[in-house]
Amino acid sequence: MAERYFRHDITLPRTRRGFTLLELLVVIVIIGLLAAYVGPKYFSQLGKSEVTITKAQIGAFEKSLDTYRLDVGRYPTTEEGLAALLAAPASGAAKWNGPYLKKAVPPDPWGHPFQYRSPGAKSEFEIVSLGRDGQPGGSGEDADISN
């Protein structure tokens, strides 16, 4: 009679079993392939955005320098630099009506300081970012960006 109440051939339903090692490896390989495809496209867009940000920063400096010139009658000298937009320089302080920037002059997106020259090579002043490598010249993201 005991045999009647105990069954020795009970198996778990198929829905309660876990994933096999092979199934897990296939999923990991698929995720790796997707990351290898999407990753380079994402990072190339990141480099383009840094160049766009740099151009926008230079444009903002140009507007501030134009306002400075309207007040003082000239652009800051190379020695005075972009710091003249934040604090009155020794010469021309009587007409200075700044500060012309809300915050301190930030570095470019790669962490290098902007270079300011007056007179510039092509205009009355020149603002230059040396690009990702921080060296003059270069190409792509390493190229110089100026006004």
Side-chain angles (χ1 to χ4, degrees):
M1 196 172 235
E3 296 172 9
R4 188 169 156 197
Y5 295 109
F6 296 105
R7 294 185 56 179
H8 298 287
D9 60 345
I10 296 177
T11 58
L12 292 175
R14 186 150 176 81
T15 57
R16 298 186 86 194
R17 295 176 55 198
F19 294 108
T20 65
L21 181 59
L22 182 62
E23 291 169 332
L24 290 174
L25 288 175
V26 168
V27 169
I28 290 172
V29 167
I30 291 171
I31 291 172
L33 289 172
L34 287 173
Y37 178 72
V38 173
K41 292 184 182 291
Y42 171 75
F43 287 111
S44 70
Q45 292 300 320
L46 183 64
K48 290 177 186 176
S49 67
E50 289 171 335
V51 171
T52 304
I53 290 169
T54 303
K55 289 179 181 178
Q57 285 177 318
I58 289 173
F61 294 147
E62 286 177 322
K63 290 176 184 167
S64 297
L65 286 166
D66 288 338
T67 305
Y68 176 96
R69 194 190 102 198
L70 288 172
D71 289 347
V72 178
R74 63 173 176 80
Y75 288 109
T77 64
T78 301
E79 292 76 27
E80 292 169 342
L82 295 174
L85 298 173
L86 293 168
S91 60
K95 298 178 185 177
W96 190 83
N97 194 25
Y100 299 95
L101 293 175
K102 292 181 181 179
K103 300 178 189 174
V105 177
D108 67 12
W110 299 280
H112 307 294
F114 284 96
Q115 296 182 356
Y116 173 80
R117 292 186 280 272
S118 178
K122 300 175 186 172
S123 62
E124 294 184 65
F125 65 89
E126 187 175 29
I127 305 168
V128 179
S129 168
L130 297 177
R132 181 180 62 184
D133 64 353
Q135 302 296 322
S139 62
E141 290 180 42
D142 294 337
D144 298 348
I145 303 167
S146 65
N147 60 322

